[in-house]
Amino acid sequence: VDMQAMGPLTALIDCDVLQADGGTRTASITGAWIALADAFDAWVAEGRIAVNPIATNVAAISVGVVGGEALLDLEYTEDASADVDANVVMTGDGRIIEVQGTAEGEPFDRDTLDTMLDYATAGIVDLVEMQNSSRS
């Protein structure tokens, strides 16, 4: 967010999930960005700010390895049985905000992490496209 464009206003978007799998947590982050962008659009329409201060999208997705296979956007049964799982949060231009990953049993190697990040990046590109199309 361009803080200068916001002027004296403050926006607070709460995307806490108290009990859920990784996919629910990441969906809340992706949806929270849409809520923020919509709120800023409303502020522009109301004349509270001159321009929408969004600088880039933010989206998140879960990724993991289940039975030796890399999977994107894990559902509960996949998350619960994953050998490795991670939540990845990125900006719309591909910069990483957060990577939170765990070996659920045996440690994993760097190639596995790289594969999961590649899957997550591709998934986030799709999510950003959906975020943008939801605002058109």
Side-chain angles (χ1 to χ4, degrees), residues 109-131:
D109 59 26
R110 177 65 182 264
D111 288 341
T112 300
L113 177 61
D114 289 343
T115 297
M116 291 191 319
L117 288 174
D118 289 345
Y119 272 60
T121 300
I124 287 173
V125 165
D126 290 344
L127 290 171
V128 166
E129 288 175 8
M130 287 185 257
Q131 285 175 326

Side-chain angles (χ1 to χ4, degrees), residues 60-100:
I61 199 157
S62 62
V63 62
V65 176
V66 179
E69 182 182 359
L71 299 175
L72 186 63
D73 194 20
L74 302 178
E75 61 182 49
Y76 174 77
T77 57
E78 295 164 338
D79 188 58
S81 64
D83 303 317
V84 179
D85 61 352
N87 296 326
V88 179
V89 185
M90 298 177 78
T91 63
D93 57 5
R95 293 175 291 147
I96 294 171
I97 295 170
E98 177 184 359
V99 176
Q100 175 275 316

Side-chain angles (χ1 to χ4, degrees), residues 19-34:
Q19 183 177 358
D21 63 355
T24 305
R25 290 183 197 97
T26 57
S28 73
I29 292 168
T30 303
W33 182 90
I34 294 170

